[in-house]
Amino acid sequence: MTLTYQSTRDANNTVTASQAILQGLANDGGLYTPTRMPEVNLDMAVLKDTSYQEVAKLILSAFLDDFTSEELDHCIASAYDDKFDTDAIAPLVKISDDQYNLELFRGSTIAFKDMALSILPHLMTTAAKKHGLDKKIVILTATSGDTGKAAMAGFADVPGTEIIVFYPRDGVSKVQELQMTTQTGENTHVVAIDGNFDDAQTKVKEMFNDSALRDKLAANGFQFSSANSMNIGRLVPQIVYYVYAYAQLVKSGEIVAGEVLNFAVPTGNFGNILAAFYAKQIGLPIGKLICASNENNVLTDFFNTGTYDKKRDFKVTSSPSMDILVSSNLERLIFHLVGNNSEQTLELMTALSGEGQYSLGDVDRGILDLFAADFATEAETLAEIKRVYDAALYVEDPHTAVASAVHQKYKTKTGDQTKTVIASTASPYKFPVVAVAAITGETDLTDFEALEQLHAISKVAYPAAVDGLETAPVRHKTVVSVADMQGAVERYLTIAD
Ligand SMILES: *Cc1c(COP(=O)(O)O)cnc(C)c1O
């Protein structure tokens, strides 16, 4: 039976997996979400000897079940190839007896967004062909720094697509910014906005939900889709590496099949950790899902109090990809929490946009108790980079260090000794100034000086992603106000009145 993806805000709005990927976001503002979990045979005796690509096939064919086997083979082979600098695709590094870092940053843009965004363009163009789509797909993307680059790397010069990326002008690292503004490809457009990530994401969602704009696009042969984790085509490929990591630990004898494993995930939009939740739902033996935030700790408060309150100061931290106050994918968890009830979900989300907060009433806390949420301050994050370096001569990026620090706090607080995998979401080469300052105390280096220092300290080879970045021509220089984001879209598509 084909899986149904239902809008979190309208029970009558249901689609198949390929339709959900093509649309990105439901027209009612909701997110397409599976209403039941597929059956997946997670036989570790077999999976421990299975390649990343084969695990991907197992998971994708279960969740994206209206794609044919050949279509998925093509998408997987096109995504997980030598764009990654290791055949393992997502290798594990043992940091201590109870900590393993799962390196999700070995793809072309050195952040974990590559894990899903290297396959999303293939899934989307395959879905477009399947449904005989006669329109050009316009990928509209808000980015806190990493999605934008990873999406453009995937969609650059893909026929039948345009991609427009909005990023907060003062909210990304220099390396992140240069990675985006030097992007090549005739169909790529990068725009800095005078605002933060939440401003960008809210406006992008508004454009998606604007039926007049949708009609205008359609009349001109365009259709929006999304490369943000609101697209189920982002989430499903992220389930793969949780299963793969577990199997690899069984293979290396670090755990035995069936043993419970915790995962600590540095969280912003709640996409990565939601994928871990789905991995648990299909039977992966996961204990706690440790939800780690930076000082924008709205999720910590939510899990601890049942109230989600975005009315607080937005902080710019050293882990900018997690500087988010409205975590879009939490809506999917809420939907499951209230028993896949879209009316109730809509009510809560309406309260969030109207009043800036909502409180869970009387819900079964079962799902919430799977999570342990906490946050790391800026000082704790830097101290954790230093601690891990001193202990293991391994350099974590600031996002990874947030999760690593929260894991340490969690252990102290609970005494839980369960072995834990830290989702390591970016290479330190993407945030060299912070990484070097944490380890050496030098705080006045430029990004490019810090890159050299980092190389000397970490002995990790320069990733291709930062090679030549200093001298690459800047192609994208547009800055707009939040109010003019739609204007920018219309100008790029030459449909402005
Ligand atoms: C996007 C991102 C995150 C947050 O992931 P979510 O899926 O949004 O929770 C964490 N770290 C890095 C480096 C990222 O790019």
Side-chain angles (χ1 to χ4, degrees):
M1 203 177 71
T2 313
L3 274 193
T4 298
Y5 288 82
Q6 182 189 313
S7 165
T8 48
R9 301 190 187 184
D10 180 2
N12 295 316
N13 187 350
T14 60
V15 293
T16 65
S18 64
Q19 290 167 326
I21 288 174
L22 210 45
Q23 284 195 42
L25 216 84
N27 285 345
D28 52 52
L31 308 182
Y32 287 120
T33 303
T35 48
R36 67 174 173 86
M37 287 292 119
E39 300 260 336
V40 191
N41 182 8
L42 299 181
D43 181 354
M44 288 303 153
V46 174
L47 288 179
K48 69 182 178 45
D49 297 314
T50 298
S51 69
Y52 192 90
Q53 291 81 354
E54 289 166 313
V55 178
K57 181 71 185 290
L58 177 75
I59 301 298
L60 267 56
S61 52
F63 279 90
L64 308 181
D65 60 352
D66 70 330
F67 286 83
T68 66
S69 180
E70 293 71 35
E71 285 169 344
L72 289 179
D73 285 341
H74 164 74
C75 292
I76 290 167
S78 312
Y80 304 113
D81 58 9
D82 58 12
K83 288 192 287 301
F84 289 78
D85 69 3
T86 160
D87 290 340
I89 306 294
L92 280 156
V93 178
K94 183 169 182 171
I95 301 292
S96 67
D97 283 342
D98 65 357
Q99 177 176 345
Y100 307 87
N101 281 25
L102 176 61
E103 296 190 338
L104 302 174
F105 53 79
R106 306 292 291 267
S108 62
T109 77
I110 59 175
F112 98 97
K113 304 299 196 289
D114 288 325
M115 301 306 298
L117 282 167
S118 49
I119 195 166
L120 183 69
H122 301 288
L123 293 171
M124 206 177 272
T125 47
T126 302
K129 227 180 272 164
K130 232 175 152 58
H131 294 286
L133 186 78
D134 57 358
K135 297 194 184 62
K136 200 168 197 184
I137 301 172
V138 180
I139 307 292
L140 213 54
T141 298
T143 183
S144 54
D146 292 328
T147 290
K149 178 64 187 182
M152 286 190 291
F155 280 102
D157 291 325
V158 171
T161 69
E162 293 285 325
I163 172 160
I164 305 173
V165 167
F166 295 99
Y167 73 93
R169 179 160 71 165
D170 300 319
V172 299
S173 82
K174 189 71 196 163
V175 171
Q176 284 180 309
E177 179 165 46
L178 281 175
Q179 279 189 304
M180 288 190 281
T181 56
T182 59
Q183 175 68 45
T184 56
E186 282 311 306
N187 65 337
T188 65
H189 313 279
V190 181
V191 190
I193 64 154
D194 269 325
N196 62 36
F197 172 74
D198 284 322
D199 298 325
Q201 177 158 259
T202 303
K203 194 71 193 173
V204 162
K205 278 191 187 172
E206 262 173 45
M207 285 191 257
F208 264 95
N209 300 338
D210 180 340
S211 57
L213 180 60
R214 195 154 57 229
D215 292 347
K216 188 170 180 180
L217 254 76
N220 288 280
F222 294 110
Q223 169 182 324
F224 281 143
S225 190
S226 167
N228 283 100
S229 52
M230 300 180 282
N231 192 322
I232 197 73
R234 273 279 301 275
L235 282 184
V236 172
Q238 293 177 185
I239 301 170
V240 175
Y241 45 76
Y242 292 104
V243 176
Y244 179 72
Y246 189 98
Q248 289 300 306
L249 289 176
V250 172
K251 181 187 177 119
S252 59
E254 298 290 333
I255 57 172
V256 295
E259 184 175 338
V260 163
L261 192 63
N262 290 345
F263 284 93
V265 185
T267 303
N269 229 354
F270 208 74
N272 203 1
I273 196 164
L274 186 71
F277 169 75
Y278 286 141
K280 183 173 167 75
Q281 298 305 100
I282 58 170
L284 195 67
I286 296 178
K288 283 287 181 190
L289 297 164
I290 300 172
C291 176
S293 298
N294 65 25
E295 289 180 2
N296 293 293
N297 58 351
V298 60
L299 286 166
T300 310
D301 291 345
F302 168 73
F303 278 102
N304 294 333
T305 66
T307 295
Y308 194 98
D309 184 357
K310 70 169 185 183
K311 304 187 302 302
R312 58 182 77 205
D313 288 338
F314 182 98
K315 299 200 172 137
V316 175
T317 73
S318 59
S319 44
S321 303
M322 297 155 66
D323 289 345
I324 293 175
L325 292 178
V326 183
S327 297
S328 286
N329 272 295
L330 188 66
E331 178 167 345
R332 288 188 162 111
L333 191 79
I334 300 290
F335 174 73
H336 297 312
L337 206 58
V338 297
N340 294 351
N341 182 321
S342 39
E343 262 170 56
Q344 242 173 300
T345 309
L346 174 63
E347 248 170 60
L348 294 172
M349 294 306 131
T350 306
L352 181 63
S353 55
E355 291 133 47
Q357 71 169 75
Y358 61 82
S359 291
L360 296 173
D362 231 354
V363 296
D364 178 359
R365 285 197 57 98
I367 288 182
L368 291 180
D369 292 341
L370 303 176
F371 295 82
D374 208 339
F375 74 103
T377 63
E378 285 293 278
E380 286 168 337
T381 304
L382 297 182
E384 181 66 5
I385 294 175
K386 176 95 168 93
R387 182 193 74 82
V388 171
Y389 181 74
D390 289 344
L393 288 182
Y394 181 87
V395 183
E396 291 183 337
D397 101 287
H399 303 76
T400 306
V402 166
S404 189
V406 166
H407 172 235
Q408 294 298 314
K409 282 189 175 182
Y410 168 79
K411 279 197 301 181
T412 308
K413 218 182 274 179
T414 61
D416 186 354
Q417 299 289 322
T418 306
K419 289 178 177 158
T420 298
V421 171
I422 311 288
S424 304
T425 51
S427 160
Y429 277 109
K430 214 160 184 172
F431 305 94
V433 172
V434 180
V436 171
I439 293 167
T440 68
E442 281 177 275
T443 53
D444 51 5
L445 300 176
T446 67
D447 279 64
F448 291 98
E449 289 165 350
L451 280 176
E452 275 177 33
Q453 288 257 0
L454 182 57
H455 186 230
I457 295 169
S458 69
K459 316 256 188 312
V460 172
Y462 268 116
V466 294
D467 254 352
L469 200 57
E470 194 171 8
T471 49
V474 171
R475 299 183 64 240
H476 307 274
K477 297 177 181 160
T478 308
V479 184
V480 303
S481 64
V482 177
D484 192 33
M485 284 172 59
Q486 182 170 332
V489 169
E490 298 195 2
R491 290 191 292 275
Y492 285 131
L493 302 179
T494 57
I495 59 169
D497 298 320

